Amino acid sequence: MTRRKLRENVFTILFQYDFFPSEEIDEQIKLYLDSESQKDFSEQEKLEIEVRAKSAILQIPEIDQQIEKKAEGWTIARMGKVELTIIRLALFEMLYDTEIPNPVAINEAIELAKKFGGDEAPSFVNGILAKLA
């Protein structure tokens, strides 16, 4: 599995974070990984997705604090869920994944925003991440 595919799957799981109670997240991850759309992934790839998603979820409170500090004029509650999830994932990579350089994390976040967000999502994500870098 490519890093991009891994990132997209982690994004999908993180997107669910705000829609389910925290005590249900393990079950939601399991349902996602067992879904028909994930049938082509090996058990090792599914485990890699799960571990990365859970690691990111554990850091969301700290990540959100960082976002709130730097996102002038924006609060977490005002941000679109797609954009917020992309920013959370990128910031997780920037702060906690030493294998991914910050410019790569930002570029990949912009690509996710182009794929999953609206017309303004790439520039919004880029602007917030530029302040956080």
Side-chain angles (χ1 to χ4, degrees):
M1 169 183 352
T2 64
R3 278 215 180 255
R4 182 166 283 174
K5 196 67 178 166
L6 171 64
R7 187 177 285 108
E8 286 180 9
N9 281 279
V10 172
F11 163 78
T12 303
I13 292 170
L14 290 180
F15 183 76
Q16 298 177 40
Y17 176 80
D18 287 326
F19 296 100
F20 293 99
S22 58
E23 60 271 3
E24 289 183 19
I25 199 66
D26 287 340
E27 182 64 22
Q28 293 304 319
I29 292 171
K30 182 178 179 345
L31 288 171
Y32 175 74
L33 293 174
D34 291 342
S35 69
E36 185 66 22
S37 65
Q38 305 307 312
K39 68 179 179 183
D40 294 332
F41 289 131
S42 69
E43 290 305 311
Q44 180 61 35
E45 289 171 326
K46 289 180 180 181
L47 180 61
E48 189 175 356
I49 294 167
E50 179 179 5
V51 167
R52 190 151 183 88
K54 285 182 176 181
S55 296
I57 287 167
L58 286 173
Q59 302 304 328
I60 285 178
E62 183 179 328
I63 289 169
D64 284 357
Q65 286 179 348
Q66 295 293 322
I67 295 169
E68 288 277 0
K69 285 181 193 174
K70 297 288 184 173
E72 297 170 14
W74 288 91
T75 63
I76 298 291
R78 275 191 64 214
M79 291 182 189
K81 296 300 183 202
V82 169
E83 292 82 1
L84 175 59
T85 303
I86 293 168
I87 293 166
R88 283 173 170 165
L89 179 55
L91 193 52
F92 170 76
E93 290 179 346
M94 292 164 65
L95 295 174
Y96 302 101
D97 191 335
T98 57
E99 293 181 18
I100 301 174
N102 287 359
V104 172
I106 293 170
N107 184 60
E108 289 296 318
I110 293 167
E111 292 303 316
L112 281 174
K114 288 177 184 176
K115 184 171 184 175
F116 295 106
D119 293 339
E120 302 298 320
S123 59
F124 178 76
V125 167
N126 186 43
I128 298 293
L129 290 175
K131 291 179 182 181
L132 291 163

